[in-house]
Amino acid sequence: MKIGVLTDIETASGYRIAGLEAVAATADEAVRKLVEMIQSNQYALVAVDQNLIPDPNKATERVMRGRSAPVLLSLPNLLESFSGGSDAKAYMRRLVRETIGFDIKL
C-alpha cells in the first residue's frame, strides 16, 4: 500500500519530488478524486490539503464506512503556514539546502 497526497496543482509537484504519489485537484473536483483514491484500495494513508477539503473524514463518511484504510490526514497548506509574515521561500530554500547540501534556483 502507498502513501498519497491530494493537493492543489502547484503543490503536487513538490510532493512528487519528495517521492510521494500526489494527485492534483481543484476545489470542485477534490472530493471526487479523494473518493477515487479511497476506492482504489491502493493507499494506506492519504494526506489531504485542507484548503481543498477542510474535513476529509466528514466528506467521505459514507465511502469510508466499513473500511479501515486509508487513514485520512488533513494537512495545512504550505502558503497558509507562512501567512503570519514568515518567508516561505526562505524556509523552502533552507530546507532544500539542508536536505541536499546546496541551493537549487528555478
Side-chain angles (χ1 to χ4, degrees), residues 8 16 47 103:
D8 60 73
R16 289 183 188 119
D103 290 326

Side-chain angles (χ1 to χ4, degrees), residues 88-103:
K89 288 183 180 180
Y91 169 78
M92 294 304 292
R93 191 172 24 255
R94 188 182 89 246
L95 186 62
V96 168
R97 186 175 44 249
E98 289 173 0
T99 303
I100 64 174
F102 55 90
D103 290 326

Side-chain angles (χ1 to χ4, degrees), residues 4-80:
V5 180
L6 178 65
T7 189
D8 60 73
I9 295 165
E10 294 82 20
T11 310
S13 58
Y15 283 109
R16 289 183 188 119
I17 290 170
L20 294 171
E21 185 167 318
V23 174
T26 64
D28 294 335
E29 62 190 9
V31 173
R32 180 182 55 80
K33 287 196 174 190
L34 179 56
V35 168
E36 289 172 3
M37 292 175 79
I38 292 167
Q39 291 176 335
S40 74
N41 295 319
Q42 295 180 25
Y43 300 96
L45 175 91
V46 176
V48 181
D49 184 325
Q50 69 185 25
N51 281 351
L52 293 177
I53 306 173
D55 188 350
N57 290 304
K58 186 172 182 167
T60 59
E61 196 171 37
R62 182 175 282 161
V63 176
M64 286 297 295
R65 191 170 292 134
R67 293 177 183 263
S68 59
V71 172
L72 301 178
L73 175 66
S74 183
L75 293 177
N77 183 287
L78 183 60
L79 292 176
E80 283 193 14

